[in-house]
Amino acid sequence: MKTGIDLLYNRSLKGPLLLLAILLVLPIVIPSPYVHGMMVLVGLYTIVGTGLSMLMGYAGQISLGHAAFYGMGAYMSAICTVKLGWPALAGILAGILVAIVIAYIIGVPALKLTEHYLGLATLGFGVIIFIFFKQLKSVTGGLDGFSGIPALNVFGIEFVTDMDYYYLVWPLVLCGILFARNVIQSRVGRALRSIHGSEVASNAIGVNSQTYKLQVFMMSAAYAAVAGSLYAHYITFISPQLFEATASINFLIMVIIGGVANIWGPLVGAMAFVFLSEGLKEVIPMVISNAGGEFEIVFFGILLVALLIYMPEGLLPSLQKLVGKQFGTKKAKPVAATPVVTASAEQAETPVRMAGGDK
């Protein structure tokens, strides 16, 4: 008997459709714009996390610079719509294209590195992009920010309220997860898992590891750019501080909390991160007067260490195991062994008659 969580992992659409039904009903059950706004952020972070999950959890390539691709999508969409007068959809596509091209340029040399060396390289890349966002004041507005970004308008449909963006973002989230799930279950996914297991062995059996790593890196950059573009039109104001190294680390924390090698993990991790962050903003000042946002970082740092020690696979895989133990099928009784009939000594000594032989 399969549990509800198991339905999320196979090729069946029952699990995603059930989740879609819950998401459709949620704004009606909880008619709070505040909750709708938080769920929009959860959806955007889930999109980024899904791309990171493919890159890190399945291909085994760490990235500490995905806030740069997130920012590229945001700034390109803002520049195209505000300064060039392009439609919002064209601006989003431009942001995705730029992120993919930059990911290719950076990925070709960087993905030859492994483990923490790759992490440092992507972290340095993120810092460089952040400096560009900050220093190119004539284009990005610098530290003063980029304001006046119009609300998203696609094919004459304008998205203004939190609920509008909620119903825009979450179908995209599900589409992104389903696409990622299909990739993971395909030949490409098997190649990525083999690279994660042993890149040397993968190359030995004919898998072009560099090509597959580059492809998944570009794909994860596209996911981040989509989320960044939508974020820019949702907030209508962006600044470089939103895309610094801390944002990349936050994305990493979300993926690890939910389950890095789990395509549905980023959703759980993003939800936990957003709602815990909002809760901490209320609780921390009550405990520590004049406390700033740095205490949130301390809390998530402690949480991350605890999860890596006690739940290294993340919350969702641990929950799956727990549910499996509680509602899993009972073990089948062992089948009694069939008695072996042995021939007697006299039968053993009887000569075997061959077909067509003498009687």
Side-chain angles (χ1 to χ4, degrees):
M1 177 181 177
K2 290 186 177 181
T3 63
I5 293 179
D6 291 328
L7 294 175
L8 297 175
Y9 295 93
N10 56 28
R11 294 179 182 272
S12 172
L13 292 177
K14 292 181 181 179
L17 288 176
L18 176 62
L19 182 60
L20 178 61
I22 294 172
L23 292 171
L24 289 173
V25 174
L26 184 63
I28 301 173
V29 177
I30 308 176
S32 169
Y34 176 70
V35 175
H36 300 164
M38 286 198 296
M39 288 300 294
V40 170
L41 292 179
V42 170
L44 294 175
Y45 294 159
T46 300
I47 294 174
V48 181
T50 302
L52 266 178
S53 179
M54 287 192 292
L55 178 66
M56 296 174 56
Y58 292 93
Q61 310 302 305
I62 189 170
S63 173
L64 295 175
H66 259 56
F69 299 120
Y70 188 62
M72 286 178 198
Y75 272 108
M76 278 304 301
S77 187
I79 292 168
C80 290
T81 53
V82 175
K83 296 192 174 184
L84 301 180
W86 290 10
L89 186 59
I92 292 173
L93 293 175
I96 296 170
L97 180 61
V98 168
I100 291 174
V101 171
I102 298 297
Y104 177 82
I105 295 172
I106 297 299
V108 169
L111 291 172
K112 294 178 181 178
L113 303 172
T114 58
E115 298 177 353
H116 51 280
Y117 298 107
L118 176 60
L120 289 174
T122 54
L123 179 62
F125 160 70
V127 172
I128 291 171
I129 297 300
F130 168 74
I131 292 173
F132 273 110
F133 290 158
K134 186 172 66 173
Q135 297 299 329
L136 294 177
K137 297 181 180 180
S138 60
V139 179
T140 65
L143 293 176
D144 294 331
F146 196 114
S147 59
I149 303 172
L152 196 62
N153 190 313
V154 181
F155 302 120
I157 302 174
E158 191 171 11
F159 298 87
V160 179
T161 65
D162 291 327
M163 186 174 288
D164 292 339
Y165 279 95
Y166 176 92
Y167 283 118
L168 169 68
V169 168
W170 278 100
L172 292 176
V173 171
L174 288 177
C175 289
I177 291 175
L178 289 175
F179 177 78
R181 189 180 70 167
N182 288 337
V183 170
I184 296 305
Q185 293 175 342
S186 69
R187 177 177 57 84
V188 175
R190 291 191 292 272
L192 294 177
R193 287 193 290 271
S194 71
I195 293 169
H196 192 181
S198 173
E199 188 170 341
V200 175
S202 298
N203 289 326
I205 62 175
V207 175
N208 191 334
S209 60
Q210 187 68 14
T211 299
Y212 281 110
K213 288 193 297 183
L214 186 59
Q215 287 176 353
V216 74
F217 187 65
M218 293 164 63
M219 194 182 304
S220 66
Y223 270 71
V226 169
S229 298
L230 294 174
Y231 179 77
H233 290 283
Y234 173 61
I235 299 296
T236 69
F237 173 84
I238 54 176
S239 64
Q241 293 91 329
L242 296 171
F243 312 111
E244 58 185 359
T246 306
S248 294
I249 295 172
N250 288 341
F251 292 144
L252 185 67
I253 290 173
M254 294 176 207
V255 174
I256 293 175
I257 288 175
V260 67
N262 190 300
I263 208 63
W264 295 92
L267 191 155
V268 176
M271 190 169 294
F273 183 88
V274 170
F275 282 91
L276 280 175
S277 296
E278 292 298 318
L280 289 172
K281 289 177 183 177
E282 300 293 332
V283 173
I284 289 178
M286 296 170 60
V287 178
I288 305 173
S289 59
N290 300 322
E294 63 273 7
F295 285 94
E296 292 182 30
I297 300 174
V298 172
F299 172 82
F300 281 109
I302 296 172
L303 177 62
L304 183 61
V305 172
L307 281 173
L308 290 174
I309 294 174
Y310 298 105
M311 293 183 179
E313 295 180 350
L315 287 177
L316 190 57
S318 300
L319 178 62
Q320 185 189 13
K321 289 181 179 179
L322 179 63
V323 173
K325 288 180 181 179
Q326 295 295 327
F327 302 102
T329 55
K330 296 181 179 180
K331 292 183 179 180
K333 294 181 179 180
V335 180
T338 304
V340 179
V341 180
T342 57
S344 63
E346 294 179 357
Q347 290 173 328
E349 292 176 358
T350 304
V352 178
R353 296 176 180 176
M354 303 298 293
D358 296 334
K359 293 183 180 180

